[in-house]
């Protein structure tokens, strides 16, 4: 399963751009608002840091408005920009239009299997089921990821599943086992993926023992 980072924080993106396991970036209007720059400025900077899919979300509510915004965002980096579209009729119409034009799309705010089906039928390049927000509201987000994976298998849809709204290491592990194509993970959770108390304890023991050997070598 590929890992993307879910952020518009340029410092975080610069840091993870050196990590060999971060393959793309997803943003949304709330994340962009925190960056205190225009969307164009943030997305342009991200394209200079990461050579991989970068989701940039449109904010207009009608298909024509979405397409106009999408074409401008696509101009920033024709290879890597993915247009993030809302799960609405207008969003799905724009999705089909853009995918047919060869522009990559990501249908976001997906909370049900029926919605995932519509995104796949609209030829979305990616669909983003939200795990954390489902769990926060008493739904079973892992069940949705499993169902989306099954849906792809049943009909051979090419749409890639991006597990989004990730809150924990457990979410990442669960959606990997369920067969999600990608998980888009906040910076804090990405850092937690590498941590284990036994790794830390093992490193400390090795560090102390290596010091003993180094001292012995100094004497010889
Ligand atoms: O970018 C979409 C999604 O990952 C948002 O997550 O934490 O705002 O529910 P969150």
């Amino acid at each position: 399963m590929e890992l993307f980072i879910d952020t518009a924080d340029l410092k975080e993106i610069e840091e993870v751009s050196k990590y060999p396991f971060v393959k793309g970036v997803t943003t949304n209007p709330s994340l962009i608002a925190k960056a205190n720059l225009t969307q164009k400025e943030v997305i342009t900077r991200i394209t200079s840091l990461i050579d991989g899919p970068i989701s940039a979300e449109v904010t207009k509510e009608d298909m024509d408005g979405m397409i106009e915004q999408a074409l401008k965002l696509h101009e920033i980096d024709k290879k890597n920009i993915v247009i993030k579209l809302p799960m609405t009729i207008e969003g799905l119409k724009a999705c089909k239009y853009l995918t047919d034009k060869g522009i990559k799309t990501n249908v976001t705010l997906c909370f049900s299997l029926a919605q995932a089906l519509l995104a796949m039928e609209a030829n979305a390049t990616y669909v983003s089921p939200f795990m954390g927000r489902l769990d926060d509201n008493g739904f079973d987000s892992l069940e949705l990821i499993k169902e989306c994976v099954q849906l792809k298998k049943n009909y051979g849809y090419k749409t890639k599943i991006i597990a989004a709204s990730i809150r924990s290491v457990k979410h990442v592990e669960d959606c990997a086992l369920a067969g999600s194509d990608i998980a888009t993970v906040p910076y804090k959770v990405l850092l937690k993926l590498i941590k284990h108390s036994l790794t830390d304890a093992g490193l400390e023991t090795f560090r102390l023992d290596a010091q003993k050997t180094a001292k012995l070598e100094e004497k010889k």
Side-chain angles (χ1 to χ4, degrees):
M1 181 179 73
E2 285 192 315
L3 295 172
F4 291 178
I5 184 165
D6 192 31
T7 188
D9 183 315
L10 295 172
K11 281 196 189 132
E12 291 177 355
I13 295 169
E14 191 164 7
E15 174 59 25
V16 304
S17 67
K18 299 164 204 147
Y19 299 177
F21 50 82
V22 176
K23 304 286 166 57
V25 182
T26 53
T27 65
N28 64 38
S30 306
L31 294 170
I32 295 281
K34 284 189 214 161
N36 215 17
L37 293 168
T38 67
Q39 184 191 34
K40 189 177 177 188
E41 285 167 337
V42 177
I43 298 295
T44 304
R45 186 83 181 96
I46 297 174
T47 60
S48 71
L49 294 168
I50 298 266
D51 184 16
I54 297 158
S55 286
E57 190 157 341
V58 296
T59 48
K60 291 276 161 66
E61 288 176 19
D62 62 302
M63 173 184 160
D64 289 342
M66 287 180 201
I67 289 171
E68 195 184 325
Q69 279 184 310
L71 294 176
K72 283 185 190 151
L73 289 166
H74 179 64
E75 278 305 310
I76 298 173
D77 182 337
K78 291 194 173 121
K79 182 176 139 226
N80 285 332
I81 294 296
V82 176
I83 305 303
K84 212 169 174 191
L85 298 147
M87 182 64 76
T88 60
I89 292 292
E90 292 299 298
L92 292 173
K93 278 157 60 182
C95 173
K96 175 82 170 60
Y97 176 91
L98 293 166
T99 312
D100 287 352
K101 288 246 173 290
I103 297 175
K104 295 187 192 84
T105 50
N106 174 2
V107 178
T108 188
L109 291 166
C110 174
F111 293 97
S112 73
L113 185 63
Q115 290 179 326
L117 171 66
L118 299 186
M120 291 184 193
E121 278 292 315
N123 290 346
T125 318
Y126 303 96
V127 63
S128 295
F130 277 34
M131 296 190 80
R133 292 191 200 186
L134 274 171
D135 292 343
D136 293 347
N137 287 280
F139 297 96
D140 183 347
S141 67
L142 182 57
E143 194 51 34
L144 176 60
I145 301 294
K146 287 180 185 166
E147 288 171 355
C148 289
V149 171
Q150 186 61 50
L151 184 61
K152 273 190 71 167
K153 273 196 195 132
N154 286 356
Y155 297 99
Y157 290 119
K158 297 278 180 283
T159 305
K160 288 190 173 178
I161 300 161
I162 305 183
S165 186
I166 296 280
R167 304 268 196 267
S168 62
V169 172
K170 182 88 169 74
H171 268 158
V172 177
E173 292 173 343
D174 282 348
C175 65
L177 281 178
S180 184
D181 298 291
I182 299 152
T184 188
V185 183
Y187 181 70
K188 276 186 192 162
V189 179
L190 261 183
L191 295 188
K192 283 188 190 160
L193 294 180
I194 199 164
K195 296 301 275 181
H196 195 287
S197 56
L198 291 177
T199 306
D200 293 342
L203 279 172
E204 183 57 7
T205 307
F206 290 159
R207 191 182 66 79
L208 294 172
D209 289 341
Q211 276 176 359
K212 287 181 202 161
T213 310
K215 275 186 191 150
L216 194 70
E217 281 166 358
E218 272 168 28
K219 285 182 193 158
K220 290 198 175 173

